[in-house]
Amino acid sequence: MSCQETRELIDAYADSELDLVSTLNVERHMQVCEDCLSAHRNLQALRSLMNDESLYFRPSSGLRKHITSALGAEVKTERRLPLASWRWLAAAASVALVTIATFTLVQHPKGTSAEGLVAQEVISSHVRSLMEPHHRADVPSSDQHTVKPWFNGKLDFSPPVENLADRGFPLIGGRLDYLGGRSVAALVYQRNQHYINLFIWPSIDARQMAEESMRRQGYNLIHWDNSGMEYWVISDLNESELRQFTEIIRNRLQPSS
Ligand SMILES: [Zn+2]
């Protein structure tokens, strides 16, 4: 079997669509032709890249590893076969193009910025806490001196806890939650029939971020950074009252300002 014949069958071979005789012919050719063997491997690498669902959620680690090893394999082969090197460059370029396409696909269409992803998790956590009333608060208490120490030993930071009952936002309790790949503090407040979740965790970078608000899936979200902590507030409460809540919290945390 010639290289050209093999190449014509290689797609079908990769999909296990060939009959036994053709399969054996392709395999026999690839045993003696490094060129076609590598073409087949490259095809497989591309396919596994396109099929690996985990990559759509972890483009930075998994995808990079795949690409690096795929490119690394191609580069090694290229050194052994200098005459055919243009093929490997072309193959590497196609892998790179797929990479770019995949990254673009991953990062842009659904507004999946880092902030958007966090917002999505905040919403999920909030909804979950509303669906399971017994999970709304692991430590149901309106006493900040009960809720704050409850987090000791459960988190690698100590969240500020304030009861705002005197301002019309009584503290209901606190619970541990899991957001953005880390354990976070969730404080639950109530305003009439509306629940407010306040999520707190140490911010990754030290930048002081201006307050940002957004409205998603019927919920109002406000988030900001302060003194190395990241804060996310979410509720179905109307925006002006949620802003009021946020303002009170921020003033309590920063009495000087
Ligand atoms: Zn060949």
Side-chain angles (χ1 to χ4, degrees):
M1 191 178 254
S2 71
C3 283
Q4 195 190 336
E5 287 171 309
T6 304
R7 295 306 172 89
E8 279 167 8
L9 294 177
I10 216 157
D11 258 297
Y13 174 75
D15 286 331
S16 310
E17 287 169 357
L18 292 181
D19 60 61
L20 183 62
V21 174
S22 301
T23 300
L24 289 174
N25 283 339
V26 169
E27 280 175 355
R28 208 167 293 139
H29 178 83
M30 288 196 302
Q31 277 169 8
V32 295
C33 177
E34 190 120 31
D35 206 338
C36 288
L37 178 63
S38 294
H40 174 242
R41 282 190 184 142
N42 185 49
L43 189 63
Q44 280 181 314
L46 281 170
R47 286 184 185 199
S48 67
L49 267 176
M50 299 306 282
N51 291 336
D52 194 343
E53 283 183 14
S54 70
L55 299 174
Y56 287 83
F57 298 97
R58 298 184 175 278
S60 50
S61 55
L63 184 55
R64 263 186 206 143
K65 247 178 242 167
H66 275 270
I67 299 302
T68 312
S69 62
L71 286 176
E74 296 303 337
V75 169
K76 272 177 216 150
T77 320
E78 182 193 332
R79 286 197 186 117
R80 272 187 280 129
L81 291 167
L83 284 175
S85 63
W86 66 271
R87 286 182 201 271
W88 311 120
L89 283 174
S94 65
V95 172
L97 275 177
V98 171
T99 311
I100 292 161
T102 311
F103 269 112
T104 311
L105 211 69
V106 166
Q107 288 185 334
H108 295 297
K110 291 176 193 160
T112 48
S113 63
E115 189 192 37
L117 288 173
V118 174
Q120 203 50 53
E121 289 199 46
V122 165
I123 294 169
S124 303
S125 265
H126 180 68
V127 171
R128 210 160 46 233
S129 77
L130 298 180
M131 283 166 67
E132 304 165 25
H134 59 278
H135 180 60
R136 196 164 295 153
D138 295 331
V139 50
S141 170
S142 60
D143 183 2
Q144 63 205 59
H145 303 294
T146 300
V147 174
K148 187 176 169 65
W150 179 85
F151 286 108
N152 284 344
K154 297 184 178 73
L155 291 169
D156 55 2
F157 63 98
S158 182
V161 181
E162 299 276 346
N163 183 13
L164 308 177
D166 57 331
R167 306 294 303 271
F169 296 97
L171 177 68
I172 300 296
R175 69 170 192 282
L176 273 185
D177 220 311
Y178 198 75
L179 274 184
R182 67 155 302 142
S183 297
V184 305
L187 301 176
V188 192
Y189 293 86
Q190 196 167 3
R191 173 75 154 192
N192 303 323
Q193 301 307 309
H194 305 279
Y195 287 99
I196 303 170
N197 264 297
L198 168 61
F199 297 97
I200 307 172
W201 66 89
S203 38
I204 296 166
D205 45 24
R207 86 211 143 99
Q208 203 80 354
M209 200 184 61
E211 190 175 298
E212 283 182 39
S213 61
M214 59 184 92
R215 186 169 171 81
R216 293 203 177 181
Q217 292 167 231
Y219 296 103
N220 285 309
L221 292 87
I222 302 177
H223 75 108
W224 71 95
D225 272 31
N226 187 22
S227 306
M229 294 285 201
E230 192 158 333
Y231 298 83
W232 281 77
V233 167
I234 178 169
S235 180
D236 63 337
L237 189 63
N238 65 70
E239 195 186 345
S240 77
E241 278 180 282
L242 196 62
R243 280 196 177 282
Q244 191 190 336
F245 169 82
T246 303
E247 224 163 90
I248 297 166
I249 284 278
R250 295 192 71 167
N251 285 335
R252 291 276 177 104
L253 298 176
Q254 248 180 340
S256 54
S257 70

